Amino acid sequence: KWQTYVYVGDTLVADLDFLSRWSRWMRDDERGTTGRTKSDLLVTTAHTYNRVEGLPIYVGPRFRTRSGDTRVRAEVFGIFRTGDELTWKRENLGHRVLLELRQGNSAGVAIGGRLFDEVDAVEKWQLTDTEVGLNAFLFTRDYRDYWQRHGGQGYVSLFAGRGSELRASYGEERWISRRARNVLSIVNDNVPWRVNPLADEGVMKLLTVSGTFDTRNSPKDPRAGWYLRGEYERGDGTLDRAPALP
C-alpha cells in the first residue's frame, strides 16, 4: 500500500492524508471475521509536502487481532523527514506509537495510549492537503504554518455505530518551533521560503473531551444523515517562550 487515489468531482487525485487512510483501513478490517490476526510493514507518506519537513515518510509495522468482540491494534512508526538534505539527524526524525484495546462490536468501550513526535499544521481548514502540497512542491508557496509536538497521551472512549463516539484524553507534550528549510521545489527554487513563525514553546498538560455524532449514509459522499462534533480542551503548563503578538 504505497499510495491511494480518490475522485474529487471528475478528477482523480492522490489521497495524501495518512491519518484518514489509516482510519478507513481500520474500519475495513473491523468488518472481518472473528479470530482474525493481521500484521503489515508499511512505507507511506504522511500529512503533505511542506517547507519545514519536505516529505515526511512513515515506516514501520502495524498489528491487529480480534477475538469475538475484543480487538487489539498496535502500530510503531518511525518518521523520516526529507528536509533539505537526506541526512540522519534529529531534525529529520520522529515517531508515532499507538496501542488500543477495543471491546464491543456495534457499541462498546475503547482504551488506549500513544506516543508521538510529529509536526502539525497550525491551521488546516482553508486549503486541502493536496492543494498545500502541490503549491509547495511546484511553486515554492506554502500556505500553512507549522509546529512540533512531542509527548504522550492516554484516552478512553465510548462508541456506538460506525461514527458516534464520546472520548476523554489526557496527555503531556512539549511544543517546539520549526524553522523553514531549503526544501526542493520545481518552480522558483532559488526564491527563499516564507519564514515559519515562532510557536509557543514549553511543556503542557492537556485534558480533552470530544464528542462525535454521525448518522451519515456515507462519510465520503453523504446524501442523508447528521454529522455533529464538539470538543473541549483545557491546558496547563509552563511556556519557555511565547512569541510577542503584533
Side-chain angles (χ1 to χ4, degrees):
K1 296 179 179 178
W2 294 82
Q3 182 61 65
T4 59
Y5 295 82
V6 296
Y7 276 102
V8 178
D10 296 328
T11 304
L12 187 66
V13 299
D15 182 2
L16 301 178
D17 187 347
F18 170 78
L19 298 181
S20 68
R21 294 204 305 270
W22 170 265
S23 179
R24 288 197 296 273
W25 291 339
M26 295 312 302
R27 286 198 300 268
D28 291 342
D29 288 337
E30 287 174 1
R31 300 173 189 170
T33 58
T34 299
R36 181 180 181 183
T37 298
K38 185 176 181 181
S39 60
D40 309 277
L41 179 63
L42 298 178
V43 179
T44 184
T45 58
H47 306 307
T48 188
Y49 194 83
N50 63 78
R51 71 187 186 281
V52 305
E53 294 181 285
L55 183 66
I57 301 173
Y58 279 40
V59 181
R62 62 171 182 169
F63 170 83
R64 291 140 298 157
T65 186
R66 178 173 182 175
S67 177
D69 289 340
T70 302
R71 297 186 295 276
V72 177
R73 64 184 176 110
E75 65 179 42
V76 180
F77 286 116
I79 305 172
F80 181 74
R81 307 176 178 109
T82 58
D84 47 11
E85 297 179 355
L86 296 177
T87 57
W88 192 267
K89 59 183 181 180
R90 182 67 186 88
E91 193 174 17
N92 286 343
L93 304 177
H95 60 265
R96 182 183 182 210
V97 179
L98 173 70
L99 176 64
E100 181 185 87
L101 171 65
R102 184 172 290 247
Q103 177 64 44
N105 190 8
S106 58
V109 61
I111 184 171
R114 64 190 190 98
L115 302 174
F116 51 87
D117 183 359
E118 298 180 296
V119 172
D120 204 357
V122 176
E123 296 180 349
K124 302 179 182 180
W125 52 85
Q126 288 87 349
L127 296 171
T128 66
D129 284 352
T130 302
E131 291 171 321
V132 171
L134 288 177
N135 271 289
F137 182 69
L138 295 177
F139 305 115
T140 323
R141 295 179 179 176
D142 190 341
Y143 293 102
R144 289 177 178 170
D145 297 325
Y146 304 90
W147 56 306
Q148 185 166 337
R149 305 173 65 183
H150 184 192
Q153 180 189 79
Y155 63 89
V156 60
S157 72
L158 303 174
F159 63 88
R162 295 187 58 184
S164 298
E165 181 184 39
L166 179 63
R167 173 180 294 214
S169 65
Y170 182 79
E172 180 177 295
E173 55 190 71
R174 173 170 287 278
W175 298 347
I176 307 170
S177 296
R178 295 283 300 194
R179 66 181 180 94
R181 306 171 69 183
N182 186 28
V183 303
L184 174 68
S185 61
I186 302 301
V187 180
N188 299 326
D189 187 51
N190 60 331
V191 175
W193 288 92
R194 179 172 61 87
V195 173
N196 189 54
L198 294 176
D200 291 340
E201 296 192 357
V203 177
M204 299 295 292
K205 298 178 175 63
L206 299 176
L207 172 65
T208 306
V209 179
S210 63
T212 304
F213 178 68
D214 189 356
T215 63
R216 296 173 296 174
N217 60 334
S218 170
K220 294 177 61 177
D221 186 21
R223 299 181 182 274
W226 289 88
Y227 180 76
L228 302 174
R229 177 170 175 79
E231 182 177 285
Y232 170 80
E233 183 175 83
R234 180 178 178 83
D236 180 44
T238 302
L239 293 178
D240 301 326
R241 180 173 63 183
L245 296 176

